[in-house]
Amino acid sequence: MTSMNNNSTSSKVSDWIDISVPLKSGMVHWPDHIPVQIEQVRAIKRGDNANLSRMSMEVHTGTHIDAPLHFLDCSANMSQLSFDTIIGPARVIEIHDKESIKMAELRQHNVRNGERILFKTQNSQRCWKTDIFTEDYIFISNEAAHFLADVGVKLIGIDYLSVGPFGTGNAEIHRMLLRAGIWLLEGINLSSVNQGNYELICLPLKLDQSEGAPARAIIRHISQK
Ligand SMILES: [Zn+2]
């Protein structure tokens, strides 16, 4: 730590934290999705004139955005995503419950209309350590999803592959949130991030008319002075 240059106005590029997960062959994915495959199809060291990679994956693997169209036919798709939804202040809320995000914990946080909320659960520490799919990840409970839809937050981020539970009830949680116009940022890793206020920049791929898209997401702490 240095106390020099207190008056410096130079922007510190290094304080951005990458909360997206690396895409690589063999990484974890939703059980009935295809595996991620990234292969080098041309290599200079094999005599080709360039290095060239090819990838195949489902667009809901790794860090990605769910558009309302994912669970609601004829609703908004990725082409209708506003930059205002994915760029701006965001609050990281830490959840300690070992099963799901419940009202008992959530109501202490005074969630307000229009907020971008990123949930840090134990998923961040636990689930990304393995390429084997974790079925008992922490999800948003029915009552909490209902509340978030009512409040009308702008964006919800969750630190594993789905906002809903694995199996029964998953689609209902998605529909409840997406119907309220909330876009979902799934598959983030908040293990190196503390609860607090941040600015978020998330830029999903411009997949025309798609119901979702892989995304890069970075956040930077906003110091309250
Ligand atoms: Zn998704």
Side-chain angles (χ1 to χ4, degrees):
M1 293 285 278
T2 172
S3 58
M4 289 169 66
N5 299 329
N6 280 339
N7 298 323
S8 168
T9 52
S10 65
S11 62
K12 288 189 289 168
V13 178
S14 60
D15 50 13
W16 285 103
I17 303 163
D18 194 348
I19 58 168
S20 25
V21 299
L23 289 176
K24 55 185 180 184
S25 294
M27 71 182 288
V28 65
H29 58 86
W30 198 256
D32 60 0
H33 288 187
I34 61 163
V36 174
Q37 212 175 341
I38 302 169
E39 53 185 330
Q40 195 171 36
V41 292
R42 277 199 232 162
I44 294 169
K45 64 171 167 303
R46 289 199 303 260
D48 296 317
N49 66 350
N51 292 316
L52 182 72
S53 301
R54 171 189 297 159
M55 68 185 290
S56 59
M57 62 181 281
E58 305 228 7
V59 304
H60 296 265
T61 297
T63 307
H64 68 277
I65 291 280
D66 277 6
L69 184 64
H70 189 30
F71 278 90
L72 305 166
D73 225 5
C74 305
S75 63
N77 63 58
M78 289 305 296
S79 304
Q80 289 152 285
L81 172 61
S82 153
F83 287 146
D84 182 56
T85 303
I86 47 173
I87 297 175
R91 182 145 64 110
V92 172
I93 291 180
E94 186 159 4
I95 296 292
H96 300 280
D97 195 288
K98 289 184 166 64
E99 183 202 40
S100 65
I101 298 167
K102 300 187 176 84
M103 279 316 294
E105 228 180 324
L106 187 54
R107 73 164 54 89
Q108 304 160 18
H109 293 281
N110 187 28
V111 175
R112 295 178 302 275
N113 178 266
E115 277 199 287
R116 301 174 192 83
I117 301 291
L118 308 177
F119 287 115
K120 177 184 181 177
T121 74
Q122 297 191 356
N123 296 340
S124 280
Q125 284 295 348
R126 185 168 71 110
C127 300
W128 296 116
K129 282 186 178 149
T130 170
D131 290 324
I132 297 163
F133 182 75
T134 303
E135 294 189 359
D136 62 343
Y137 60 84
I138 291 147
F139 56 92
I140 303 176
S141 70
N142 212 281
E143 48 162 17
H146 207 282
F147 167 80
L148 292 162
D150 267 0
V151 168
V153 297
K154 201 174 270 185
L155 174 94
I156 294 172
I158 186 79
D159 53 359
Y160 202 48
L161 290 170
S162 185
V163 287
F166 182 62
T168 315
N170 185 284
E172 284 88 328
I173 299 294
H174 274 91
R175 281 192 208 106
M176 207 183 296
L177 298 171
L178 295 170
R179 199 179 289 124
I182 302 168
W183 292 67
L184 308 174
L185 170 54
E186 294 174 324
I188 50 177
N189 184 345
L190 296 170
S191 54
S192 63
V193 174
N194 295 321
Q195 177 165 292
N197 293 302
Y198 293 82
E199 52 182 314
L200 165 74
I201 296 178
C202 170
L203 289 174
L205 294 179
K206 195 171 180 175
L207 294 184
D208 195 32
Q209 315 284 314
S210 176
E211 84 298 328
R216 189 71 179 263
I218 57 175
I219 60 174
R220 177 161 70 174
H221 191 245
I222 301 171
S223 47
Q224 310 292 85
K225 282 179 184 165

